[in-house]
Amino acid sequence: MSERAGAAHLSPEVIHRRVEAIRIRRRRAHHSRGLAATLNLPAMIDLTFLFLIFFLVTTTFERAEGILASDMPKARGQTTVALPVSPIVIRLSTGEADPEGVLIRIDRFDNAPQSLGALTGFLRDVQNEPGFDSETPVVIVANDDVRWDHVVGCWNAALRAGCKSIAFAEP
């Protein structure tokens, strides 16, 4: 006798239990296919230690600024006032009569040189005045219509004069 034929003789309670058992088996099979969430703890622990080692190796430890020692001057009663460092601003533009030439103006100086060749001597003289030295910044400001070789000539004149801080600025 087949199982189906034998199922006709079973009571409804037995049939209900078998159906529930089949449902439970299907649920377990469904969960065992990898749909249940699992944690891979050894890999997470390895990654944590790798991060720890990375941060320990790449971190630099420095003293806080508040703890740094400072050496104060020994002499008392003598006060010195530092002069404010104001840059020497050289402005280059083209002349109306000679568009190939260059006009040189220097802020705060009325006696600007007439040529790039005289600019070296002028800058050396300025460095000897009080409040100026070779560390005084020189800023070159050139209009858009000034030829590039004039700007480079101004740069070279400042270098020949011994200027150590030379920069460009927009007009």
Side-chain angles (χ1 to χ4, degrees), residues 5-166:
H9 298 296
L10 297 176
S11 69
E13 289 180 29
V14 174
I15 294 173
H16 180 69
R17 273 190 248 138
R18 284 189 182 178
V19 170
E20 283 299 316
I22 291 171
R23 284 185 186 154
I24 290 172
R25 269 188 257 134
R26 284 186 183 165
R27 270 192 241 134
R28 285 184 186 160
H30 183 69
H31 287 295
S32 66
R33 287 188 202 141
L35 297 177
T38 60
L39 292 176
N40 191 358
L41 287 179
M44 288 176 55
I45 292 171
D46 288 346
L47 190 63
T48 303
F49 279 112
L50 283 174
F51 277 132
L52 178 66
I53 291 170
F54 172 77
F55 288 122
L56 284 175
V57 170
T58 59
T59 302
T60 57
F61 297 99
E62 296 179 5
R63 292 174 134 187
E65 286 190 30
I67 302 174
L68 295 175
S70 61
D71 296 327
M72 299 301 288
K74 304 281 188 236
R76 295 186 181 260
Q78 298 174 353
T79 59
T80 58
V81 177
L83 294 173
V85 178
S86 57
I88 301 170
V89 181
I90 303 172
R91 298 189 184 275
L92 303 177
S93 60
T94 57
E96 292 178 13
D98 184 15
E100 295 295 317
V102 64
L103 294 176
I104 302 170
R105 289 179 313 170
I106 301 176
D107 290 358
R108 298 177 300 143
F109 293 95
D110 294 331
N111 56 347
Q114 298 299 316
S115 69
L116 291 173
L119 183 61
T120 302
F122 177 81
L123 290 174
R124 283 187 185 141
D125 292 342
V126 168
Q127 289 176 3
N128 293 328
E129 292 183 15
F132 297 99
D133 60 3
S134 63
E135 299 291 330
T136 303
V138 174
V139 179
I140 300 171
V141 180
N143 290 346
D144 293 334
D145 54 350
V146 174
R147 290 185 13 201
W148 184 244
D149 59 333
H150 293 309
V151 177
V152 173
C154 182
W155 174 275
N156 289 332
L159 284 177
R160 283 191 298 273
C163 299
K164 296 180 182 175
S165 176
I166 307 169

